[in-house]
Amino acid sequence: MRPRKLRGLALPLLLLLLLQPPPSPAHSSTRFDPTWESLDARQLPAWFDQAKFGIFIHWGVFSVPSFGSEWFWWYWQKEKIPKYVEFMKDNYPPSFKYEDFGPLFTAKFFNANQWADIFQASGAKYIVLTSKHHEGFTLWGSEYSWNWNAIDEGPKRDIVKELEVAIRNRTDLRFGLYYSLFEWFHPLFLEDESSSFHKRQFPVSKTLPELYELVNNYQPEVLWSDGDGGAPDQYWNSTGFLAWLYNESPVRDTVVTNDRWGAGSICKHGGFYTCSDRYNPGHLLPHKWENCMTIDKLSWGYRREAGISDYLTIGELVKQLVETVSCGGNLLMNIGPTLDGTISVVFEERLRQMGSWLKVNGEAIYETHTWRSQNDTVTPDVWYTFKPKEKLVYAIFFKWPTSGQLFLGQPKAILGATEVKLLGHGQPLNWISLEQNGIMVELPQLTIRQMPCKWGWALALTNVI
């Protein structure tokens, strides 16, 4: 490891407290205590459930080798997995260290406005950028990561600020940040770990100051924590930080957080639940949740060796979105930009395809609720969403029946009141009630070119029970 001075290593607890801004009057009368019981009672800001679809962006020094996984450093140096060891042996001199990838992380073609335009076209309503992954490299000029940040090394630019400004100036998306609590090879974390986390040097001098810095300087409305390193939330002082975030921070009224705040907190404490990567239970959950998944089936970071079959098709992605939303979740779909800051054509195509589908069918996704049934009992792969105020149920299906007749076992029609339309088509469709339960809808006879969209269609059913 290249020797580097880490600023603030001896930062005392008192100084950490001084880093927090002075208390400002909370907009809400509710005050939260630094306990899970109090924090878990906070109502999730409504915008998050209404948004349904976000974009995850995994970008960092791991984008330079862009081989295997964003866990490249760990797999190469710690686990010594043969394919990573061989990759380094074949392509770099023996003395090459992971830190030597830093200057090669140029972001030469990074254009935040271009990224923002692509994200707007995707139909997403929020983004989450990896401000710091487990490698410890920060995409902003962290005061607590000397010589291992995007201002001092590599891009020589404040990536977080550039993207924040572009998102807020050019789109209607909410800006969010991912932050890894721990760092694989940071000496202070390793020292704390060897003390069974009785020592707390790393969170006091690194993690917590950076979290305050991120929130105060960039005001993310999603704070996506990850990487507890096996340490409990008491080690990270997660409840103390979240109490400040919800009570005093500049985003206290709108910020949402996830459930990765220490060993044992996942799927149990925090704002929305993620439970695991690529979490898609396929049934209704009592708590708001998010399915964070990635277009590349094998990696979150960009991989140069990926083949076309390694990427999910747009049909598979649309289906994941629909299943997730029908069961009460949000979909956070990940892309991995290249080391020079470009979004590869396959990722851009998927994002734009999703946007074209949502342009027609977004009414059945955004601001919807779960219905009494998540999917149909008669026809496979039909999923339901609901808008109670409008008395609308949406039935989203992926296979156009050759007979032109779609049988739905769940909705019960009301004679003289029920109306059925195909989104993107507009004309009322004929339907008949089935003898026991459900209805049969006569779909319009359309050529491929007349179809309102590809990859799945949505029926709007008014006044069904």
Side-chain angles (χ1 to χ4, degrees):
M1 180 179 287
R2 178 192 305 158
R4 61 177 189 267
K5 180 184 171 188
L6 292 170
R7 271 186 263 177
L9 290 190
L11 190 69
L13 269 169
L14 179 60
L15 184 54
L16 176 58
L17 293 173
L18 293 174
L19 287 166
Q20 300 182 30
S24 50
H27 291 192
S28 167
S29 58
T30 306
R31 298 284 295 179
F32 299 95
D33 298 325
T35 64
W36 285 124
E37 184 181 13
S38 177
L39 297 167
D40 289 346
R42 178 181 183 253
Q43 191 170 354
L44 202 68
W47 75 261
F48 184 74
D49 180 56
Q50 294 166 358
K52 305 301 184 190
F53 175 44
I55 296 169
F56 217 169
I57 307 149
H58 271 68
W59 200 32
V61 171
F62 52 79
S63 306
V64 178
S66 52
F67 176 82
S69 169
E70 72 288 347
W71 279 55
F72 184 94
W73 194 3
W74 181 264
Y75 292 155
W76 168 41
Q77 291 285 352
K78 181 69 176 179
E79 296 195 7
K80 303 190 187 303
I81 293 174
K83 79 170 187 176
Y84 293 88
V85 174
E86 290 301 316
F87 175 84
M88 290 304 297
K89 193 181 292 183
D90 292 345
N91 295 286
Y92 296 93
S95 60
F96 196 93
K97 304 283 194 295
Y98 188 82
E99 294 91 324
D100 296 325
F101 284 125
L104 304 178
F105 179 47
T106 63
K108 187 192 307 183
F109 301 122
F110 171 59
N111 182 327
N113 289 341
Q114 188 179 51
W115 280 27
D117 292 346
I118 293 171
F119 299 153
Q120 179 76 37
S122 75
K125 297 300 181 185
Y126 61 102
I127 67 151
V128 178
L129 170 70
T130 53
S131 67
K132 185 196 80 169
H133 202 257
H134 312 323
E135 66 188 10
F137 189 91
T138 66
L139 294 188
W140 82 100
S142 168
E143 290 291 318
Y144 309 95
S145 189
W146 184 81
N147 211 32
W148 194 234
N149 67 73
I151 295 287
D152 293 341
E153 189 99 86
K156 306 290 177 74
R157 299 160 68 176
D158 188 338
I159 300 295
V160 174
K161 175 55 74 175
E162 288 185 38
L163 190 57
E164 181 220 345
V165 169
I167 290 294
R168 289 185 164 141
N169 286 352
R170 298 175 72 90
T171 78
D172 59 2
L173 281 73
R174 307 268 182 163
F175 180 72
L177 292 172
Y178 163 109
Y179 180 84
S180 173
L181 299 175
F182 91 128
E183 296 172 22
W184 286 316
F185 301 113
H186 195 293
L188 288 185
F189 177 77
L190 296 177
E191 193 177 328
D192 289 353
E193 185 181 39
S194 69
S195 76
S196 299
F197 301 115
H198 294 302
K199 288 183 181 179
R200 296 185 60 248
Q201 301 170 92
F202 183 71
V204 168
S205 63
K206 185 71 160 68
T207 303
L208 290 165
E210 283 190 338
L211 281 170
Y212 288 119
E213 189 177 56
L214 272 180
V215 172
N216 286 318
N217 291 349
Y218 306 103
Q219 302 188 15
E221 292 183 278
V222 182
L223 189 57
W224 216 100
S225 177
D226 192 27
D228 58 48
D233 65 84
Q234 295 91 337
Y235 170 79
W236 299 110
N237 190 26
S238 298
T239 55
F241 171 75
L242 289 172
W244 170 83
L245 185 71
Y246 296 164
N247 290 329
E248 312 291 352
S249 81
V251 288
R252 57 189 172 270
D253 293 328
T254 56
V255 70
V256 295
T257 61
N258 66 340
D259 55 351
R260 303 186 182 195
W261 292 99
S265 74
I266 194 166
C267 220
K268 185 177 178 185
H269 294 302
F272 59 90
Y273 291 171
T274 62
C275 299
S276 66
D277 292 349
R278 303 177 180 85
Y279 183 67
N280 189 14
H283 58 82
L284 187 63
L285 295 184
H287 192 94
K288 183 63 190 180
W289 60 281
E290 182 182 68
N291 173 6
C292 64
M293 46 73 67
T294 180
I295 297 173
D296 179 348
K297 301 171 194 174
L298 302 178
S299 174
W300 298 82
Y302 179 72
R303 291 188 306 135
R304 286 179 288 174
E305 82 277 20
I308 194 66
S309 62
D310 292 332
Y311 297 102
L312 292 173
T313 66
I314 185 57
E316 291 169 322
L317 293 168
V318 167
K319 191 175 176 186
Q320 282 233 21
L321 173 66
V322 170
E323 288 180 11
T324 299
V325 172
S326 294
C327 295
N330 280 17
L331 187 75
L332 186 63
M333 189 171 82
N334 178 74
I335 62 166
T338 65
L339 69 91
D340 49 20
T342 60
I343 295 172
S344 66
V345 172
V346 68
F347 288 135
E348 181 175 351
E349 181 189 51
R350 295 293 187 274
L351 292 175
R352 292 189 182 277
Q353 286 173 325
M354 186 67 89
S356 70
W357 189 85
L358 282 165
K359 207 164 191 177
V360 175
N361 300 290
E363 177 188 328
I365 299 295
Y366 305 124
E367 299 184 27
T368 57
H369 299 260
T370 55
W371 194 42
R372 59 174 174 80
S373 294
Q374 279 62 67
N375 56 326
D376 199 63
T377 50
V378 171
T379 303
D381 269 344
V382 176
W383 295 83
Y384 293 105
T385 60
F386 182 40
K387 285 186 176 173
K389 286 182 184 176
E390 295 86 348
K391 298 181 179 176
L392 274 168
V393 172
Y394 297 94
I396 306 168
F397 60 103
F398 301 104
K399 187 176 180 183
W400 193 280
T402 52
S403 66
Q405 297 177 334
L406 184 66
F407 291 85
L408 301 175
Q410 285 301 315
K412 297 175 184 176
I414 303 170
L415 197 62
T418 296
E419 187 174 80
V420 182
K421 289 183 179 179
L422 176 70
L423 294 190
H425 178 255
Q427 299 303 312
L429 305 181
N430 294 325
W431 57 269
I432 58 171
S433 284
L434 301 178
E435 279 187 19
Q436 304 216 330
N437 278 322
I439 63 173
M440 185 275 289
V441 179
E442 287 278 359
L443 297 174
Q445 293 184 336
L446 302 173
T447 65
I448 292 292
R449 291 192 174 187
Q450 290 173 326
M451 288 279 187
C453 57
K454 305 174 187 176
W455 317 303
W457 304 270
L459 293 176
L461 297 89
T462 310
N463 295 315
V464 293
I465 55 174

